[in-house]
Amino acid sequence: MTINWHDLIAKAWKDRKVLHESDEFDCWRVFHGYAEGAKSVVIEKFGTMAVVEYKEDIRDDLDAIKDALLQHFPFTLILAKGDQLLGLRLKERMFALHGDFSDAPEFVKEYGVYYSLLPDAMHNCGLYLDARPVRKWLADHSEGRRVLNLFSFTGSLGIAALKGGAKAAIHLDKSKDLLPRIEKSYKKNGLDLGTRSFIQGDIYKHLPKAIKRGQTFDGIILDPPPKVYKSPHSEHQPKGQDFARLVSLCSKLLNPGGWLICMFHRFDATWDQSDAEIITASTHTLKMIDRFTSECDFPDENVDRKLRVTVFEKI
Ligand SMILES: C[S@@+](CC[C@H](N)C(=O)[O-])C[C@H]1O[C@@H](n2cnc3c(N)ncnc32)[C@H](O)[C@@H]1O
C-alpha cells in the first residue's frame, strides 16, 4: 500500500468539519479522491453507512480504508463497490467491508426532507450529494409553483421543490423502474404522488408534445446525464447531450417569471460559454439570475470540473 489512508481520510474529515457539525443533513461526500490524493476513489456517507467506490484495483487497501473511517464515525455498515470496468464478478465488486447489508439505512434526511436509498444499486444509491445546494435552492424558491423535473431519476429535486411549497412537481424519466423509489420517498415525506406526477418517456420526444398541448410551468429542473444514450428524437445527435435543443424546448414551456435551473456537466465549453449558449438557444427569452456550485465536500481547484448550476428566468 503506497497510500496513507489514515492521513488522507483524517484530513478530509477535518476539512468537512462544518458538514458533520451540522444537524441539517446526515449525508455528504467523505472523500473526493480526484482532488484529495487518490483519484480513483470516492467515499460517501449516507446516515450510518459509508460507501467506498473505486475505479482502480485497490482491494488490498480496503481494510486500511475501513479502519481509517471507523476512527472518525461509528459506521454500522461500510460497503465497497468496485467499478464494472475492473472486470470483477458481482460478489467481488460489491460487499460489506464492515457490518451487514441488513444495517443499511432506508432513508437519509437533508433539510427536513427524507430521501429513499437503494444502497446496493451499482451506480448511485439514489441521491447525488453534490446537488445538496440545488435541493436547498429549490426548497427556497418553489412556493406556489408548478415544477417540471426533467431527467428526474429518484425524484429528489422535485421532492425538494414540493417540500418547499411547490403546488405540483411532475417527474419525467425514461426509466419506469424508478417509480417505486420515488413513491417510497413521497410516502415517507407525507406527500401524495398520485397518478399524474411521474411520466415515463424520452424527454426529447415528450417536450415537443407538451408544447403542442400548451402546457406551461413556473419552474423547470434540467439535470441531464453528460453522456447520451442517443435519442432518435434529438436533432443534432452530438457526442453529449443536445443542450441547445433542451433549452429551446424548456424556454417554450416556461411562464414569464418562471425559472429554469440547469446543471450541465460539460467539458467542451467554459461555464460562461455554456451559459451564453443557453441564452442564445432560448432566443434571448431567458436571463441569468443565479449561479452556484457544490460545497466543501467536492473540493476541486479546476472550476471547470466542478458542478455548474445556473438559474435563468423567463423574461
Ligand atoms: C444523472 S440522472 C439525473 C439525476 C437527477 N436529476 C437527480 O438529481 O437525482 C440521469 C437520469 O436521466 C434519465 N434519462 C437519460 N436520458 C433520458 C431521456 N432522453 N429522456 C428521459 N430520461 C432520460 C436516466 O434514466 C436517469 O434516471
Side-chain angles (χ1 to χ4, degrees), residues 123-124 126-128 130-131 134-135 149-157 172-176 178 199-205 221-231 241 246 263 265:
H123 172 52
N124 182 288
L127 192 70
Y128 284 93
D130 57 345
V134 181
R135 291 184 288 271
N149 184 18
L150 297 174
F151 303 93
S152 68
F153 187 45
T154 54
S156 56
L157 299 173
L172 181 49
D173 200 284
K174 68 181 164 72
S175 167
K176 202 165 99 194
L178 295 163
I199 301 166
Q200 183 206 359
D202 181 329
I203 281 162
Y204 290 98
K205 187 177 173 188
I221 302 161
L222 190 44
D223 179 23
K227 286 189 193 144
V228 198
Y229 170 61
K230 282 196 176 166
S231 165
Q241 289 292 347
L246 286 171
M263 279 153 275
H265 310 267

Side-chain angles (χ1 to χ4, degrees), residues 16-154:
R16 288 153 175 79
K17 192 165 179 271
V18 49
L19 302 181
H20 39 89
E21 282 180 356
S22 166
D23 54 8
E24 301 225 70
F25 37 81
D26 60 5
C27 45
W28 62 85
R29 182 164 282 192
V30 171
F31 181 72
H32 183 63
Y34 204 92
E36 297 188 285
K39 75 174 189 319
S40 65
V41 182
V42 155
I43 305 172
E44 298 192 322
K45 174 185 179 303
F46 297 94
T48 56
M49 170 178 76
V51 180
V52 181
E53 285 187 61
Y54 53 97
K55 287 196 169 128
E56 276 170 35
D57 195 350
I58 51 136
R59 282 178 290 166
D60 290 346
D61 290 17
L62 290 174
D63 275 335
I65 293 176
K66 173 192 77 179
D67 292 343
L69 287 170
L70 289 171
Q71 296 260 311
H72 299 285
F73 191 83
F75 289 106
T76 54
L77 173 63
I78 303 180
L79 281 186
K81 288 188 189 176
D83 193 272
Q84 67 181 42
L85 292 175
L86 293 172
L88 305 171
R89 281 181 310 184
L90 190 61
K91 262 193 181 168
E92 293 167 332
R93 272 173 64 196
M94 177 163 31
F95 60 93
L97 272 175
H98 169 77
D100 189 89
F101 265 101
S102 58
D103 296 321
E106 278 190 83
F107 297 94
V108 282
K109 198 173 181 192
E110 186 191 86
Y111 299 118
V113 185
Y114 291 97
Y115 298 100
S116 77
L117 298 177
L118 192 61
D120 57 356
M122 256 340 278
H123 172 52
N124 182 288
C125 292
L127 192 70
Y128 284 93
L129 298 177
D130 57 345
R132 184 172 54 245
V134 181
R135 291 184 288 271
K136 176 85 170 76
W137 189 95
L138 288 165
D140 293 342
H141 295 84
S142 296
E143 184 71 48
R145 290 178 185 255
R146 188 172 134 80
V147 173
L148 179 62
N149 184 18
L150 297 174
F151 303 93
S152 68
F153 187 45
T154 54

